[in-house]
């Protein structure tokens, strides 16, 4: 049986540090993921897809970052965790 992906449109915000990717939802729930939970990351010009399985991912818009420096630091963090290749 194949599972159909479910879209989640609940308002949320994320906090990122070198150890965790944390998602805070408007209903008060919190999801805290270690970077080891991600299988791969795809970066495009306007967003990141952070995959936790073949069919499940977290969408992170690049516009969510405050500065180019923040984007660059996140890219380096992902590269260090071997989730993203910059070159």
């Amino acid at each position: 049986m194949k599972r159909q992906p479910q879209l989640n449109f609940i308002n949320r915000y994320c906090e990122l540090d070198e150890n965790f990717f944390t998602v805070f939802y408007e209903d008060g729930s919190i999801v805290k993921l270690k970077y080891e939970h991600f299988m791969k990351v795809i970066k495009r010009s306007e967003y990141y897809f952070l995959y936790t399985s073949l069919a499940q991912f977290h969408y992170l818009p690049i516009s969510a970052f405050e500065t180019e420096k923040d984007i660059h630091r996140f890219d380096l963090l992902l590269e260090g965790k071997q989730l993203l290749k910059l070159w």
Side-chain angles (χ1 to χ4, degrees):
M1 254 172 62
K2 283 189 176 183
R3 283 183 54 185
Q4 292 295 323
Q6 294 181 353
L7 299 177
N8 180 346
F9 292 109
I10 298 173
N11 286 332
R12 64 196 175 280
Y13 72 92
C14 301
E15 288 184 2
L16 311 167
D17 63 29
E18 66 252 7
N19 298 312
F20 295 101
F21 177 84
T22 309
V23 183
F24 298 87
Y25 291 94
E26 74 176 347
D27 66 359
S29 60
I30 299 171
V31 175
K32 194 169 193 174
L33 298 167
K34 290 184 178 182
Y35 288 96
E36 291 79 29
H37 290 115
F38 296 113
M39 295 174 50
K40 69 177 178 177
V41 174
I42 295 177
K43 181 181 180 185
R44 297 291 184 247
S45 62
E46 296 183 13
Y47 58 84
Y48 294 90
F49 284 152
L50 297 101
Y51 284 86
T52 54
S53 71
L54 292 175
Q56 185 178 12
F57 60 87
H58 291 273
Y59 169 81
L60 179 62
I62 290 184
S63 62
F65 292 90
E66 292 182 4
T67 66
E68 287 289 326
K69 188 176 178 180
D70 292 338
I71 296 167
H72 182 66
R73 274 194 271 177
F74 187 59
D75 287 346
L76 290 175
L77 173 70
L78 294 174
E79 183 182 43
K81 304 281 185 186
Q82 299 179 342
L83 294 168
L84 182 69
K85 292 184 180 180
L86 295 177
W87 311 107

